[in-house]
Amino acid sequence: SLYPLYYSPEERFDALSQWAVDILVSSGVTRVFLEGYAYGTSKGVVFEIGENTGVLKHKLMKAGISFEVFAPSEIKKHATGLGNSNKMAMELAFRNKTGIDLSEWIGSQRTDKKIPSPANDMIDAYWIWDLG
């Protein structure tokens, strides 16, 4: 299987973070940019997200890869000029800047109110990279 088996959330966090760090190290990456926590809107698995992120940050540090964390509002303000923008505004700013309709390009169906995954995640990643 492409994804290793795991028997607990902790094993999953370890496997995911090791996969990411291995790719970064083998690619010669020495610095990465991360999105910080969305404290006001996180629901459900907020502690698991924090634990997973902590494991990743620890492994990045041990591998000598520096990282910078940007607050979600900082990323949104960079992309759109407003720190409380929604996904639709982020996507419109992406299209305006790059000329790429990512939802169409990857074949995902955008609605008037929703940018589907993975397009919305890719757009967030672009703006994090652009800010960094």
Side-chain angles (χ1 to χ4, degrees):
S1 124
L2 295 175
Y3 190 79
L5 290 175
Y6 61 90
Y7 299 98
S8 70
E10 294 76 20
E11 281 184 301
R12 180 172 179 262
F13 304 155
D14 183 59
L16 282 170
S17 60
Q18 193 60 55
W19 168 80
V21 169
D22 287 347
I23 290 171
L24 294 169
V25 167
S26 69
S27 300
V29 173
T30 59
R31 185 171 183 218
V32 297
F33 307 107
L34 302 171
E35 182 175 18
Y37 301 117
Y39 294 104
T41 58
S42 296
K43 293 182 176 109
V45 294
V46 66
F47 295 111
E48 287 81 1
I49 292 169
E51 290 174 352
N52 192 17
T53 303
V55 172
L56 174 62
K57 288 176 178 178
H58 177 77
K59 287 188 178 184
L60 289 169
M61 180 194 67
K62 289 295 210 180
I65 299 171
S66 66
F67 57 89
E68 187 170 350
V69 179
F70 299 114
S73 60
E74 185 179 6
I75 299 162
K76 292 173 182 181
K77 186 168 185 173
H78 172 73
T80 68
L82 296 172
N84 63 349
S85 297
N86 63 24
K87 294 289 187 184
M88 298 303 289
M90 298 282 286
E91 193 259 353
L92 179 60
F94 176 84
R95 278 190 287 139
N96 288 340
K97 183 163 184 180
T98 66
I100 299 168
D101 183 333
L102 194 55
S103 294
E104 182 179 301
W105 187 71
I106 64 173
S108 60
Q109 188 62 38
R110 176 180 57 244
T111 68
D112 288 341
K113 295 187 179 193
K114 184 165 185 199
I115 308 298
S117 290
N120 67 353
D121 298 320
M122 295 167 74
I123 290 166
D124 285 348
Y126 170 82
W127 287 117
I128 294 165
W129 167 82
D130 192 64
L131 178 58

